[in-house]
Amino acid sequence: MKRAVYPGSFDPVTFGHLDVIRRASEMFDVLIVSVLNNKVKTPLFSVEERVKILQEATKDIPNVQVDSFTGLLINYAAEHDIHVAVRGLRAITDFEYELQIAQTNRKLSGEKLDTMFLTTSLEYAYLSSSSVKEIASFGGDVSQCVPEFVAKLIYEKYHIQDRI
Ligand code: ADP
């Protein structure tokens, strides 16, 4: 069984993430999308909420599982016998950061964990969870960026009455 993990904050999941999830799910027998419980970032959605959102958004892809983890990705991967991490690349700015993490993970894992990058589909290259949150917080339209039920949940968080 070829298994891979797609780790990230997913706060919340966007069409960009979902595009990567769909494409990666076709390359592996099982793809585990795992929400990182990152103590440094203050998220809009709790880890439990993000897991639920991801489960709903990926329910039509049978080989996708949703999970969460705390701590180092290499430990999580080792515990689950996973040797590939999937990450998405939007632009050169992602690349510098991602390259460093990928190399660190490979080294720290004793060369057991490799990272596979999928370049974003062009229509989602501009998308990020943080810009979606910023637009939504001012009542802007995020229907091009996230599934409808996710947009509703974001507007609820920001108390944008006329969008709920
Ligand atoms: P993190 O905080 O770990 O970067 P994110 O949830 O922001 O978590 O992103 C998770 C992964 O998805 C990263 O590899 C990121 O580059 C990728 N990603 C984010 N937005 C997009 C997008 N629009 N298209 C493709 N990949 C994306």
Side-chain angles (χ1 to χ4, degrees):
M1 285 278 261
K2 274 198 291 174
R3 289 145 59 84
V5 60
Y6 179 24
S9 307
F10 306 108
D11 186 38
V13 68
T14 68
F15 284 139
H17 298 127
L18 289 170
D19 173 61
V20 170
I21 291 171
R22 192 169 296 280
R23 288 157 59 201
S25 73
E26 287 165 14
M27 299 170 186
F28 296 93
D29 297 308
V30 177
L31 178 71
I32 303 178
V33 181
S34 204
V35 176
L36 170 63
N37 190 354
N38 187 342
K39 301 242 160 57
V40 184
K41 291 187 186 175
T42 311
L44 181 64
F45 292 98
S46 69
V47 170
E48 293 73 23
E49 288 172 322
R50 282 178 269 161
V51 166
K52 272 206 189 129
I53 292 171
L54 275 163
Q55 280 168 339
E56 176 64 24
T58 61
K59 66 179 183 202
D60 62 328
I61 319 176
N63 62 332
V64 168
Q65 295 171 11
V66 184
D67 193 15
S68 64
F69 72 106
T70 308
L72 293 179
L73 177 65
I74 53 160
N75 294 339
Y76 176 81
E79 281 159 21
H80 291 78
D81 197 26
I82 292 173
H83 305 285
V84 180
V86 172
R87 295 284 287 177
L89 283 181
R90 284 162 293 188
I92 199 79
T93 40
D94 276 346
F95 181 76
E96 273 188 47
Y97 170 76
E98 294 289 343
L99 182 69
Q100 189 187 16
I101 296 180
Q103 287 173 337
T104 306
N105 281 339
R106 189 163 150 76
K107 186 83 186 159
L108 276 183
S109 67
E111 311 205 334
K112 287 203 172 72
L113 182 66
D114 249 316
T115 304
M116 196 186 84
F117 293 104
L118 288 181
T119 53
T120 181
S121 297
L122 285 179
E123 68 260 48
Y124 305 128
Y126 67 95
L127 257 185
S128 70
S129 298
S130 46
S131 64
V132 169
K133 285 182 280 191
E134 192 169 355
I135 296 165
S137 71
F138 293 109
D141 180 8
V142 293
S143 60
Q144 311 277 315
C145 311
V146 296
E148 203 179 317
F149 82 96
V150 181
K152 235 177 164 35
L153 292 171
I154 309 173
Y155 293 129
E156 274 171 24
K157 287 273 181 195
Y158 289 119
H159 310 290
I160 307 291
Q161 297 305 338
D162 32 325
R163 292 269 190 195
I164 300 174

